[in-house]
Amino acid sequence: MNISESDYKYILSVLKKELVPASGCTEPIAIAYAAATARFYLGEEPEKLTVKCSGNVIKNVKGVTVPNTGGLKGVRAAAIVGTLGGDHEKKLEVISNISDAVIKKIHELVDTDYCSVELLDTEEKLYIIVNAIKGDHICEVSIYGSHTHIVKIVKNGEILFDDESSDLKSESDTYDKNKFCLDNIIDFSDNVNLDDVKEILERQIEFNINSANEGLSNNYGITVGATLKEGATNVFELAKAYAAAASEARMGGCNLPIVTNSGSGNQGITVSVPVIIYAREKNIDKDTFYRALTLSNLMAIRIKIGIGKLSAFCGAVSAACGSAVAITYIEGGRKQQIEYTIKNMLGNVSGVVCDGAKISCALKIASALDAGAIAHKLAMKNQVLEKDTGIIKEDIEETIDGIGRLGSEGMRETDKVILDMMTAGHC
């Protein structure tokens, strides 16, 4: 094992931090979490809520069904369900247990002036401020940078909590890319003590496949997953069908938990479900399977470090790159073929834009996985896009960093246009 002990521990800690369960799309759940926390510290049920969100949060909440709300969508539904029935201690599973009485009350309040929503003027992609108000009492909770990263709690002007150490930075901004170089990622995956990762991987396998089965069994969205499964003629098509089905269930309001990757349930689905199905259909031994799944998760995290949690760059692309790399690994590909898979993938579909979380994410996941299958097949024949083919560089780290720059810097204006188109000036 070439990876140092300190780098090993660092990568393991990030892996455990990023692979966490969430019930529902993570942006509305983050709002619900902030609202539940505000209500808890207020100490009583508020008579009014104000919610301020960055544009990317609004974009990712607008079109997705919030679980346990009786089919409601949007910021108001997320904030109200978190306030009335949320358990802030459960974090991204904050609204996993909501009573029928609470759901009824949400429907009574969602179209009133109980909750007001504002767009925050900020460059930060993930920023949420919730105020819970009762008479002269007010509690404000701020989330910044990642979905459960509370940076401040203020009640009646008194600061109850202030995470000064965050310096208002996204948590992923502090990740060390040097420790997450491809050599370290491969070495970690090759040599990780499986007892260190078995628990989080088995939870990811169980939760995400359960959601795939739910999506295949019931009519969510336009039944992308079920339709693809009907016509599947090979393992790649079957893997694509299961992943699309899991996404449709999640975007359609299914309350089953998903294990996320890089703050996203859809990315958690895309890095895991195709690898699970591929390994199952090919009868891959568990040791190889767990190591491939580890590699898939780490590859997606590495790409997202540069892009950030939220962007106009569709996260299905980075996650599908992880899956493609894992399949290359399963098929005996080593560093060269893994590099080739990454380059072939990122040189193909790096222009897919994110126009918010919604039911059609299943289609983008399916398309990204198609590109991943192509990238893998070419790599196994030692075919790769040459350096300077568009944004592809000779050095793999430069290539990945370039994708990060494209997603974080290059798509800023794209993000603004998408948000304007989606909201028409309204939250």
Side-chain angles (χ1 to χ4, degrees):
M1 183 167 68
N2 295 317
I3 188 172
S4 69
E5 183 178 355
S6 63
D7 285 2
Y8 179 99
K9 289 180 178 178
Y10 181 82
I11 290 175
L12 179 62
S13 70
V14 173
L15 189 66
K16 290 181 176 180
K17 189 174 186 178
E18 293 292 349
L19 271 63
V20 295
S23 297
C25 179
T26 47
E27 280 71 55
I29 298 304
I31 292 172
Y33 172 55
T37 304
R39 189 262 171 87
F40 175 81
Y41 283 97
L42 183 68
E44 54 188 330
E45 186 175 313
E47 59 191 12
K48 185 174 176 58
L49 299 173
T50 65
V51 184
K52 302 175 184 178
C53 302
S54 55
N56 280 73
V57 171
I58 290 174
K59 183 179 75 172
N60 279 359
V61 178
K62 182 179 175 65
V64 67
T65 301
V66 183
N68 286 328
T69 62
L72 296 175
K73 299 178 181 180
V75 174
R76 290 174 180 82
I80 296 171
V81 67
T83 300
L84 299 185
D87 180 352
H88 75 290
E89 292 185 347
K90 292 184 177 180
K91 295 192 174 182
L92 291 181
E93 294 183 278
V94 59
I95 58 170
S96 59
N97 187 22
I98 304 297
S99 69
D100 290 341
V102 168
I103 294 173
K104 181 182 178 185
K105 192 169 182 181
I106 297 165
H107 280 258
E108 293 170 355
L109 293 175
V110 73
D111 291 325
T112 70
D113 60 359
Y114 176 78
C115 179
S116 62
V117 181
E118 299 176 27
L119 175 64
L120 277 172
D121 183 12
T122 177
E123 291 296 317
E124 171 57 33
K125 304 298 185 183
L126 203 167
Y127 201 175
I128 299 164
I129 301 173
V130 174
N131 285 282
I133 304 162
K134 181 66 177 288
D136 294 332
H137 300 287
I138 181 170
C139 183
E140 180 175 287
V141 172
S142 301
I143 286 179
Y144 190 99
S146 64
H147 297 81
T148 58
H149 187 207
I150 292 177
V151 293
K152 187 169 286 189
I153 302 172
V154 181
K155 182 180 179 182
N156 298 332
E158 178 187 356
I159 297 175
L160 304 182
F161 176 77
D162 188 1
D163 186 7
E164 294 180 356
S165 65
S166 71
D167 193 28
L168 286 188
K169 288 183 178 179
S170 301
E171 288 184 324
S172 59
D173 288 345
T174 65
Y175 289 164
D176 188 340
K177 288 190 296 185
N178 292 325
K179 293 182 183 296
F180 263 86
C181 65
L182 185 60
D183 283 339
N184 269 3
I185 289 173
I186 295 172
D187 200 11
F188 181 94
S189 303
D190 277 340
N191 296 291
V192 62
N193 181 344
L194 292 180
D195 288 339
D196 289 342
V197 297
K198 187 176 181 180
E199 182 179 353
I200 59 172
L201 293 181
E202 288 189 341
R203 182 173 61 185
Q204 186 179 50
I205 294 163
E206 177 188 355
F207 286 8
N208 295 5
I209 285 296
N210 283 347
S211 288
N213 288 329
E214 170 69 15
L216 289 170
S217 301
N218 295 287
N219 287 328
Y220 290 96
I222 59 172
T223 64
V224 174
T227 302
L228 291 175
K229 187 172 183 287
E230 287 174 6
T233 59
N234 59 61
V235 66
F236 292 102
E237 293 178 356
L238 194 63
K240 179 173 63 176
Y242 272 80
S247 175
E248 282 188 303
R250 178 173 172 271
M251 295 289 95
C254 170
N255 189 43
L256 291 174
I258 283 287
V259 170
T260 63
N261 181 293
S262 303
S264 165
N266 276 337
Q267 289 170 58
I269 288 166
T270 310
V271 297
S272 62
V273 172
V275 183
I276 296 165
I277 298 301
Y278 193 92
R280 185 186 76 184
E281 294 298 309
K282 293 277 190 173
N283 294 313
I284 303 302
D285 66 275
K286 272 201 168 183
D287 186 283
T288 301
F289 167 47
Y290 284 144
R291 295 186 187 283
L293 188 55
T294 298
L295 179 61
S296 181
N297 279 293
L298 291 176
M299 192 69 247
I301 292 169
R302 167 64 181 99
I303 297 172
K304 287 291 286 183
I305 287 174
I307 297 170
K309 295 289 186 186
L310 299 178
S311 167
F313 185 102
C314 178
V317 173
S318 50
C321 187
S323 285
V325 162
I327 290 170
T328 295
Y329 182 91
I330 286 172
E331 293 296 343
R334 301 316 300 152
K335 185 187 176 185
Q336 178 173 281
Q337 287 75 34
I338 289 170
E339 281 194 15
Y340 288 0
T341 302
I342 297 166
K343 289 181 177 181
N344 290 337
M345 178 73 179
L346 298 182
N348 180 7
V349 289
S350 54
V352 178
V353 299
C354 172
D355 53 343
K358 61 215 170 304
I359 207 74
S360 65
C361 288
L363 287 168
K364 295 191 180 187
I365 288 171
S367 296
L369 290 172
D370 268 339
I374 296 169
H376 155 73
K377 291 173 183 178
L378 288 168
M380 294 307 291
K381 291 187 174 183
N382 290 317
Q383 298 295 321
V384 65
L385 294 172
E386 295 180 352
K387 68 175 181 176
D388 299 325
T389 303
I391 57 176
I392 300 303
K393 303 298 180 184
E394 182 171 5
D395 181 77
I396 190 63
E397 304 298 338
E398 286 185 22
T399 299
I400 296 170
D401 288 343
I403 292 297
R405 184 183 175 197
L406 176 65
S408 61
E409 298 178 29
M411 290 191 166
R412 284 176 185 166
E413 192 62 30
T414 302
D415 238 350
K416 294 176 184 177
V417 173
I418 290 172
L419 180 63
D420 185 64
M421 292 172 68
M422 289 180 64
T423 63
H426 301 285
C427 298

